[in-house]
Amino acid sequence: MATSGSVPTTPLLKDELDIVIPTIRNLDFLEMWRPFFQPYHLIIVQDGDPTRTIHVPEGFDYELYNRNDINRILGPKASCISFKDSACRCFGYMVSKKKYIYTIDDDCFVAKDPSGKQINALEQHIKNLLCPSTPFFFNTLYDPYREGADFVRGYPFSLREGAKTAISHGLWMNIPDYDAPTQMVKPLERNTRYVDAVMTIPKGTLFPMCGMNLAFDRELIGPAMYFGLMGDGQPIGRYDDMWAGWCMKVICDHLGLGVKTGLPYIWHSKASNPFVNLKKEYKGIFWQEEIIPFFQASTLSKEHDTVQKCYNELAKQVKENLGKLDPYFVKLADAMVTWIEAWDELNPTASASTATAATNGPAKK
Amino acid sequence: MSVPITPALKDELDIVIPTIRNLDFLEMWRPFFQQYHLIIVQDGDPTKTINVPEGFDYELYNRNDINRILGPKASCISFKDSACRCFGYMVSKKKYIYTIDDDCFVAKDPTGKDINALEQHIKNLLCPSTPNFFNTLYDPYREGADFVRGYPFSMREGIKTAVSHGLWLNIPDYDAPTQMVKPRERNSRYVDAVMTIPKGTLFPMCGMNLAFDRELIGPAMYFGLMGDGQPIGRYDDMWAGWCVKVICDHLGLGVKTGLPYIWHSKASNPFVNLRKEYKGIFWQEEIIPFFQAVVLPKDCTTVQKCYLYLSEQVKEKLGPIDPYFTKLADAMVTWIDAWDQINSTGTGAKLPNGAANGKA
């Protein structure tokens, strides 16, 4: 594995990875990322007013979709894609043709490591995805495949090949990803601790997946990365990535795929308004107390041997078990099914022709 | 942070050190350890005199003492293996134990400051664990951190911490094959995190730099039958760790790993290690699934009950692999008998100290 050094002449996975960015404001943040992102193809998902023009900095190769494009491409199925919420980003996952996705928020910038060097977050995510995970047994020296580390004494040898990595979950310096109550209680807290580790989240353990700095193997887990119904017309917000993360983890555990968390860090610059956040999260604060036990208890069987089958089964269970909590979950379960239908339509299996590939939005370079 | 005038838990924690060589390493630890009571477990030749540096308050037990105190039950305590340290856990009267190897020294953090490992372990033990849901910012109770968005509020009280598992800079704790393949590898990565090992997940527990709440989990900290007359070695702490984790998961107790680091100075001989570990390399392939699958019944509500149930399961399920496991299962029962005897309530059962009980 290459040591972290200068940006390689041919960036890893240059033609195999898309960077998906939801935005409602602007893409100025891309300037700082240019040295690391420019070789890659971008998929911009423009939220909010479709008549507004989002300017993409010169020199980037991209496709851009606004709400009109989403409606045109998906037709009635567009109902599963959120509006006025960054959850709409998952449309970008669906239309991508690449094996890997990296998604980042437009208020996330390049961080520095403790030596003062700029962190190439994308490069680290790629390293994480390309090397195995170890979900079945905890390694006390964290990622055993990292340079200078290994499996420790007592780690079963038969488990040292690891499992394929589906997700690489990065973290954030500066403004931490706190919920509204915590933001209100600790408005001054900043994350200044650089934890130099990548680790696998063990099988059977759920976690709060943040979509701000996230990469995944679209071929392994893409259909499970639906970010739910949030924003306009919905009773909840700021649970999009959480929802995707819980579904994804249950499915990864079932299919024997790995989920990593830790490095890389990005610099999160913008603290969202805690009052606005509280309104969005309010119902979620209560609902998550039921949602978590639901996911912890959810089981999938041998017949659920693809991500889509797992996901459809989960949708059924959501309707059955969470539907009584609130009608929202019935709507969400239906949207989950719609998402899979849309995914399969836009991503037919290899034997089908490419004629059904989505037409790109008008603003394509 | 300077050493406080009254160190935390000064009268509530014993430091247990197994040794067969000498205790020179204690000099470096003096600023951090001197205020605490030491329990030295002298392995090997009991006629050898182990010199304890001046100024430490300690009790010392050699093999003769162990035999005298436990009688026939002494059979459960290993000989010629640092596994004998668990005798120290048994005879301690304190709430907390810190155990450390005699080739472990004070490490420095990235700023160059000496790490007070004991202080960090105490912090870890005194604050809750979070085994039921993973926090992506690691220990939420640490200064400058908290639970992240999406972490259920009902789980933010956390649960009691039973074990604090520290790590090692310099010589990493590798098995023999890895040592042979990578003889020059040194752990130079300081990972500034403490985290809870999630419920349902096993891990390799290393006894080099380990602290635990003896009242919460002590009886499960049996380090097995190793060394002289045994077919296996270097699986003592591993065995204890797997038993401990299964029981902690069952009883709702937390296990933390990460900080503090110590500096591990001595690389053991990989050829010797391979001989010791050889059978274990194959056996652990069966042992791990055993521990992953074991389910403790609801009526196992104490550590002892859990442990005795485990010993039955070991005999039943692992006995067929090798007669060693039958012996080990019996030793597990003997250990609990001895533990309960030595730690029976009522002051009459106070243990006579080893011959070399000293205080400066």
Side-chain angles (χ1 to χ4, degrees):
Chain A
M1 195 138 317
T3 50
S4 58
S6 51
V7 177
T9 325
T10 305
L12 288 170
L13 307 182
K14 187 171 86 68
D15 301 315
E16 296 176 72
L17 182 144
D18 278 338
I19 303 178
V20 172
I21 305 163
T23 188
I24 198 163
R25 285 172 290 255
N26 63 63
L27 295 168
D28 296 349
F29 85 118
L30 279 178
E31 272 312 325
M32 196 186 188
W33 287 103
R34 191 183 283 279
F36 304 127
F37 285 5
Q38 192 159 332
Y40 296 88
H41 181 74
L42 313 183
I43 297 180
I44 316 292
V45 183
Q46 177 182 338
D47 197 14
D49 181 2
T51 66
R52 199 162 159 258
T53 304
I54 299 279
H55 175 249
V56 183
E58 200 69 40
F60 283 98
D61 175 50
Y62 71 95
E63 51 199 279
L64 186 146
Y65 301 91
N66 61 29
R67 191 70 204 188
N68 295 339
D69 302 313
I70 294 171
N71 290 338
R72 182 173 43 80
I73 291 164
L74 293 185
K77 296 195 182 69
S79 59
C80 75
I81 303 297
S82 303
F83 183 59
K84 298 294 272 301
D85 193 286
S86 65
C88 65
R89 76 177 78 212
C90 62
F91 177 78
Y93 309 160
M94 190 191 279
V95 298
S96 165
K97 300 277 157 256
K98 304 285 172 55
K99 180 159 163 61
Y100 300 97
I101 295 283
Y102 174 48
T103 186
I104 183 171
D105 280 14
D106 61 12
D107 60 351
C108 293
F109 294 81
V110 178
K112 289 193 186 343
D113 69 20
S115 73
K117 183 165 162 281
Q118 298 215 313
I119 298 169
N120 183 346
L122 185 48
E123 186 183 68
Q124 182 64 54
H125 275 297
I126 289 169
K127 279 184 185 166
N128 294 348
L129 289 172
L130 291 183
C131 99
S133 295
T134 52
F136 308 113
F137 205 82
F138 191 90
N139 192 46
T140 49
L141 284 186
Y142 313 111
D143 182 352
Y145 305 105
R146 250 183 118 188
E147 197 192 309
D150 212 307
F151 291 96
V152 297
R153 173 176 57 98
Y155 202 104
F157 287 89
S158 64
L159 295 178
R160 297 193 188 197
E161 267 191 77
K164 281 198 199 148
T165 303
I167 300 280
S168 169
H169 177 265
L171 299 174
W172 350 272
M173 304 295 294
N174 194 40
I175 308 287
D177 186 26
Y178 286 163
D179 48 70
T182 310
Q183 282 181 298
M184 288 174 156
V185 169
K186 296 174 148 199
L188 292 179
E189 189 148 278
R190 299 291 177 265
N191 185 23
T192 56
R193 185 173 290 127
Y194 184 91
V195 178
D196 189 4
V198 183
M199 65 195 74
T200 301
I201 300 178
K203 180 179 175 176
T205 302
L206 295 176
F207 76 114
M209 182 178 85
C210 173
M212 267 201 266
N213 174 24
L214 179 71
F216 59 93
D217 184 322
R218 204 177 149 276
E219 278 175 21
L220 284 182
I221 199 62
M225 291 302 262
Y226 174 48
F227 271 38
L229 289 172
M230 306 281 144
D232 220 52
Q234 307 299 343
I236 196 177
R238 286 172 55 86
Y239 273 89
D240 52 333
D241 40 9
M242 297 299 137
W243 183 261
W246 299 327
C247 294
M248 174 280 294
K249 187 59 164 60
V250 168
I251 294 174
C252 280
D253 286 351
H254 175 72
L255 296 178
L257 301 170
V259 175
K260 291 184 180 177
T261 188
L263 301 182
Y265 283 88
I266 49 86
W267 179 270
H268 184 212
S269 66
K270 202 172 144 326
S272 41
N273 182 298
F275 296 94
V276 170
N277 289 345
L278 185 57
K279 282 195 216 276
K280 292 181 179 178
E281 293 175 14
Y282 182 71
K283 291 194 162 171
I285 287 172
F286 303 94
W287 286 350
Q288 81 187 356
E289 296 297 333
E290 315 267 344
I291 294 172
I292 300 300
F294 161 74
F295 280 108
Q296 285 175 329
S298 166
T299 52
L300 298 162
S301 63
K302 276 196 176 62
E303 51 171 339
H304 304 120
D305 55 359
T306 67
V307 178
Q308 286 92 325
K309 285 183 192 168
C310 290
Y311 202 76
N312 281 327
E313 171 62 21
L314 268 185
K316 242 199 302 172
Q317 294 179 12
V318 167
K319 189 175 264 191
E320 245 168 64
N321 296 300
L322 295 176
K324 38 185 170 269
L325 185 58
D326 191 279
Y328 168 74
F329 291 100
V330 177
K331 231 173 56 163
L332 178 57
D334 289 339
M336 290 168 75
V337 174
T338 303
W339 159 267
I340 293 295
E341 286 171 358
W343 181 285
D344 284 344
E345 196 182 294
L346 259 51
N347 296 285
T349 48
S351 55
S353 72
T354 50
T356 47
T359 25
N360 284 323
K364 178 176 199 289
K365 182 195 180 309
Chain B
M1 211 166 300
S2 52
V3 177
I5 305 165
T6 305
L9 305 183
K10 187 171 86 68
D11 300 315
E12 296 176 72
L13 182 145
D14 278 337
I15 303 178
V16 172
I17 305 163
T19 188
I20 199 164
R21 285 171 288 255
N22 62 63
L23 294 167
D24 297 350
F25 85 118
L26 278 177
E27 271 312 325
M28 197 187 188
W29 286 103
R30 190 182 284 279
F32 304 128
F33 284 6
Q34 190 160 333
Q35 306 261 31
Y36 296 88
H37 181 72
L38 312 183
I39 296 180
I40 317 292
V41 183
Q42 178 183 337
D43 197 14
D45 181 2
T47 65
K48 185 166 177 256
T49 304
I50 299 278
N51 175 53
V52 184
E54 202 69 37
F56 284 97
D57 174 49
Y58 71 94
E59 51 198 278
L60 187 147
Y61 301 92
N62 61 30
R63 192 69 204 189
N64 295 338
D65 300 314
I66 294 171
N67 290 336
R68 180 173 43 80
I69 290 162
L70 293 185
K73 295 193 181 72
S75 60
C76 75
I77 303 297
S78 303
F79 183 60
K80 297 293 272 302
D81 193 285
S82 64
C84 65
R85 77 178 78 211
C86 63
F87 177 78
Y89 310 158
M90 189 192 279
V91 299
S92 164
K93 300 274 159 259
K94 304 284 173 52
K95 179 160 163 61
Y96 300 98
I97 296 283
Y98 174 47
T99 185
I100 183 171
D101 281 14
D102 61 12
D103 59 352
C104 293
F105 293 81
V106 178
K108 286 189 189 327
D109 70 19
T111 69
K113 183 164 164 282
D114 278 358
I115 299 169
N116 184 345
L118 185 48
E119 186 182 67
Q120 182 65 52
H121 275 298
I122 289 168
K123 280 184 186 163
N124 294 348
L125 289 172
L126 291 183
C127 100
S129 294
T130 53
N132 297 311
F133 205 83
F134 191 90
N135 193 45
T136 50
L137 285 186
Y138 314 111
D139 182 353
Y141 305 104
R142 248 183 120 189
E143 199 193 305
D146 212 307
F147 291 96
V148 297
R149 174 176 59 98
Y151 202 104
F153 287 89
S154 64
M155 293 190 196
R156 297 194 187 196
E157 266 191 80
I159 60 170
K160 283 194 197 150
T161 302
V163 181
S164 169
H165 178 264
L167 298 174
W168 350 272
L169 290 172
N170 193 40
I171 308 289
D173 187 26
Y174 286 164
D175 49 69
T178 310
Q179 281 181 299
M180 289 175 155
V181 169
K182 295 175 149 197
R184 294 160 72 86
E185 187 149 279
R186 298 292 178 263
N187 185 23
S188 53
R189 184 172 291 127
Y190 184 91
V191 178
D192 189 4
V194 183
M195 65 194 75
T196 302
I197 301 178
K199 181 178 175 177
T201 302
L202 294 175
F203 77 114
M205 183 178 86
C206 173
M208 267 201 266
N209 172 25
L210 180 72
F212 59 93
D213 184 321
R214 204 176 148 278
E215 279 175 18
L216 285 182
I217 199 65
M221 282 293 199
Y222 174 48
F223 271 38
L225 290 172
M226 308 280 143
D228 219 54
Q230 307 299 343
I232 197 176
R234 286 171 55 85
Y235 273 88
D236 52 333
D237 40 7
M238 298 298 136
W239 183 261
W242 299 326
C243 294
V244 159
K245 189 59 164 60
V246 166
I247 293 173
C248 281
D249 286 351
H250 175 77
L251 295 178
L253 300 169
V255 174
K256 292 184 178 176
T257 188
L259 302 183
Y261 283 89
I262 49 85
W263 179 269
H264 185 213
S265 66
K266 201 171 146 318
S268 41
N269 182 298
F271 296 94
V272 170
N273 289 345
L274 185 57
R275 279 188 218 279
K276 292 180 179 178
E277 294 174 16
Y278 181 72
K279 290 194 163 171
I281 287 171
F282 303 94
W283 287 349
Q284 80 187 357
E285 296 296 331
E286 317 259 359
I287 294 171
I288 298 301
F290 162 75
F291 279 107
Q292 285 174 331
V294 81
V295 175
L296 295 168
K298 274 196 175 63
D299 62 2
C300 289
T301 51
T302 66
V303 177
Q304 285 91 327
K305 286 184 186 163
C306 291
Y307 202 75
L308 289 172
Y309 181 83
L310 264 185
S311 73
E312 281 169 31
Q313 294 298 303
V314 167
K315 188 173 265 191
E316 207 183 289
K317 305 257 163 51
L318 298 178
I321 296 176
D322 191 279
Y324 168 74
F325 291 101
T326 305
K327 230 173 57 162
L328 178 57
D330 289 339
M332 290 168 74
V333 175
T334 303
W335 159 266
I336 295 293
D337 285 346
W339 181 284
D340 284 344
Q341 186 185 326
I342 301 288
N343 293 286
S344 53
T345 48
T347 51
K350 182 158 172 30
L351 183 70
N353 280 326
N357 180 22
K359 186 192 184 321

